[in-house]
Amino acid sequence: MDKSSKDKRSKIMRAIKSKDTKSEVLLAKALWKRGHRYRKHNKSIFGTPDLSFKKYKIAIFVDSEFFHGKHWDIVEKRPKANAEFWQKKIERNMQRDDEVNVFLIQSGWTVLRFWSDDIRKNLYTTVRTIEKHIAEIHDRIYFE
């Protein structure tokens, strides 16, 4: 059972951002500081990645654990209130993520997805992973 009233829960859920979340801003600033130039929420790229490097065809998505179904296979972690609604919503989000991944990969893009918590806990590792992909693609483009 939800501990908050219906109005309070509605207010809380409305306040959740879909763009420029703390994790996304943290990652973007870290990449910018290291000299990487990217585009945010580029609508010309299928799936509208949170960050993208069009030159290298790299699409980066920062996924929240709740809305993108991290640990969705663990039933105890699923919402109890309005369970049917959340199950449909989150499972559709997961399906959409897969569709976006498949389309972009088939179009020659590298798709990188990171969980918000992983970015906050391991920012340096996340940035290095992205830099590794940039370097590999850069070398492939310019030295082959």
Side-chain angles (χ1 to χ4, degrees):
M1 187 69 194
D2 197 354
K3 295 176 182 163
S4 301
S5 70
K6 189 174 181 179
D7 290 338
K8 181 167 173 112
R9 176 61 57 203
S10 181
K11 184 178 178 183
I12 291 168
M13 295 309 286
R14 270 195 314 270
I16 296 173
K17 299 165 81 174
S18 63
K19 289 183 179 179
D20 298 322
T21 62
K22 289 179 183 178
S23 297
E24 187 182 319
V25 170
L26 185 68
L27 179 59
K29 285 183 176 182
L31 288 168
W32 192 270
K33 196 174 189 177
R34 292 181 61 87
H36 301 291
R37 301 301 178 244
Y38 49 80
R39 292 288 167 258
K40 292 170 61 176
H41 311 290
N42 188 338
K43 292 179 184 175
S44 71
I45 302 169
F46 183 74
T48 314
D50 297 309
L51 303 173
S52 60
F53 296 90
K54 213 168 188 180
K55 176 179 180 179
Y56 300 117
K57 292 185 110 176
I58 297 175
I60 300 168
F61 295 90
V62 177
D63 295 336
S64 74
E65 287 71 14
F66 178 76
F67 286 103
H68 291 268
K70 185 174 186 181
H71 302 304
W72 192 243
D73 52 332
I74 302 171
V75 177
E76 297 81 38
K77 297 215 178 221
R78 294 184 185 185
K80 309 280 184 286
N82 207 0
E84 186 178 334
F85 167 80
W86 286 113
Q87 180 170 353
K88 282 182 186 175
K89 178 167 185 59
I90 293 170
E91 286 178 354
R92 177 61 187 127
N93 288 348
M94 292 166 63
Q95 180 185 8
R96 187 178 311 109
D97 291 344
D98 290 341
E99 291 167 3
V100 167
N101 291 350
V102 167
F103 180 86
L104 289 175
I105 290 167
Q106 288 176 346
S107 301
W109 284 77
T110 297
V111 178
L112 302 175
R113 288 190 175 270
F114 300 101
W115 294 112
S116 295
D117 279 349
D118 292 342
I119 291 171
R120 285 193 299 270
K121 292 176 184 172
N122 304 305
L123 179 61
Y124 179 75
T125 305
T126 305
V127 169
R128 289 299 300 142
T129 299
I130 295 167
E131 288 178 330
K132 183 180 125 228
H133 285 279
I134 291 171
E136 286 173 4
I137 295 168
H138 178 272
D139 290 349
R140 197 175 328 134
I141 291 171
Y142 293 105
F143 298 113
E144 284 185 358

